[in-house]
Amino acid sequence: AQLLTPPDGDTRFENIAQPERFIGTLRPYQLTGLSWLRFLDRFGLGACLADDMGLGKTVQLIALLQDERARLTKGVKLPPTLLVVPTSVMGNWARELERFAPEIAFHIQHGPGRPTGAEFKEIATKSDVVITTYALVVRDQETLNEIEWHRVVLDEAQYIKNPPTKQTAAIRSLNTARRVALTGTPVENRLTELWSIMEFCNPGYLGEAADFRRRYARPIERHRDSVQADHLRRLVQPF
């Protein structure tokens, strides 16, 4: 319980207002999502924002970036957030940041001429957000691990649904204390996909993969065990 008390000691959930610098109007459910992301973040807990496609997961994350910067003491700068996305949506993230939060400085880490080593570190520390792809997290692992990220965000987090891959291992090794997964499909085919996403968000929360398969995946998938299904639902629902 002591570990889950936020620094200010306030454990209440409250709906927060739209950030003043957000260009546009967040819908009521998006404000609730923003408030929930901030609430979990205060406890040091990762979140899986699993709204369906088209409901604005991107803008909720952008609003979170703005909200936490608005609460900073003047002159204080947060370390950058690393945003890992499929290559096909890199341009969309850039456009959305420019549209809704033009004050947030971002760097796209992609292409054959992308910076590495000291050059990358200098660019990253001057940025609020660094955008890269799942494939490049593996290739640039050493470079990315030079940064202590404020947060790592996975867009379309189902990309890490298979636990024993180099890509998933590289993403989990990133140096950060804050994690957010964005996906409209946290479970596509097997419950181990949910384990993989939760293991990213809150490492160790659902136990080891083998234990998860024994306790939940097999009873639920093979035997339709409603008791274990309800137990698992209650475990993951807060996140």
Side-chain angles (χ1 to χ4, degrees):
Q2 186 176 7
L3 291 174
L4 294 181
T5 300
D8 58 11
D10 187 354
T11 59
R12 296 170 299 174
F13 175 88
E14 62 177 1
N15 283 301
I16 62 176
Q18 175 176 308
E20 288 185 7
R21 302 190 75 171
F22 185 87
I23 298 176
T25 303
L26 292 172
R27 295 169 179 157
Y29 72 86
Q30 292 170 336
L31 282 171
T32 300
L34 167 62
S35 303
W36 171 76
L37 288 171
R38 180 169 179 266
F39 176 74
L40 289 181
D41 186 72
R42 289 175 55 239
F43 288 85
L45 297 169
C48 176
L49 185 59
D51 288 344
D52 288 340
M53 185 174 68
L55 293 185
K57 295 185 287 294
T58 301
V59 295
Q60 290 174 68
L61 193 281
I62 291 173
L64 177 67
L65 298 175
Q66 288 183 310
D67 175 77
E68 63 190 2
R69 280 160 179 77
R71 296 172 190 274
L72 290 175
T73 303
K74 188 175 181 179
V76 175
K77 185 182 185 302
L78 290 175
T81 284
L82 179 66
L83 179 57
V84 184
V85 307
T87 307
S88 60
V89 300
M90 291 187 80
N92 181 66
W93 272 98
R95 288 189 295 272
E96 297 287 84
L97 283 164
E98 290 170 345
R99 176 183 176 189
F100 295 107
E103 80 283 1
I104 290 181
F106 64 89
H107 163 69
I108 296 180
Q109 177 70 357
H110 191 251
R114 64 189 181 277
T116 58
E119 183 187 4
F120 171 76
K121 193 169 185 178
E122 182 180 357
I123 292 172
T125 53
K126 291 179 179 177
S127 303
D128 296 308
V129 177
V130 173
I131 306 173
T132 194
T133 66
Y134 285 94
L136 288 183
V137 170
V138 179
R139 296 180 198 169
D140 294 352
Q141 186 173 358
E142 186 175 337
T143 293
L144 295 174
N145 280 337
E146 287 291 314
I147 306 292
E148 186 172 343
W149 302 99
H150 178 65
R151 178 185 292 106
V152 172
V153 179
L154 305 185
D155 187 25
E156 298 192 25
Q158 64 272 19
Y159 272 67
I160 64 161
K161 66 182 181 181
N162 297 315
T165 64
K166 286 184 179 180
Q167 180 173 278
T168 301
I171 287 169
R172 290 199 188 124
S173 76
L174 291 166
N175 187 16
T176 186
R178 294 174 172 85
R179 299 174 177 87
V180 173
L182 310 177
T183 174
T185 52
V187 181
E188 291 183 309
N189 299 302
R190 298 180 300 278
L191 279 176
T192 50
E193 298 166 3
L194 176 63
W195 178 89
S196 188
I197 291 173
M198 286 301 302
E199 180 66 11
F200 164 76
C201 293
N202 294 295
Y205 178 67
L206 291 180
E208 296 293 331
D211 184 54
F212 178 83
R213 285 192 293 269
R214 180 182 60 81
R215 295 181 63 190
Y216 298 108
R218 288 172 188 159
I220 294 169
E221 292 172 349
R222 294 182 183 179
H223 308 297
R224 306 292 182 184
D225 189 323
S226 60
V227 173
Q228 288 302 85
D230 184 61
H231 186 207
L232 178 59
R233 186 180 297 109
R234 286 186 283 113
L235 280 174
V236 301
Q237 191 171 34
F239 306 101

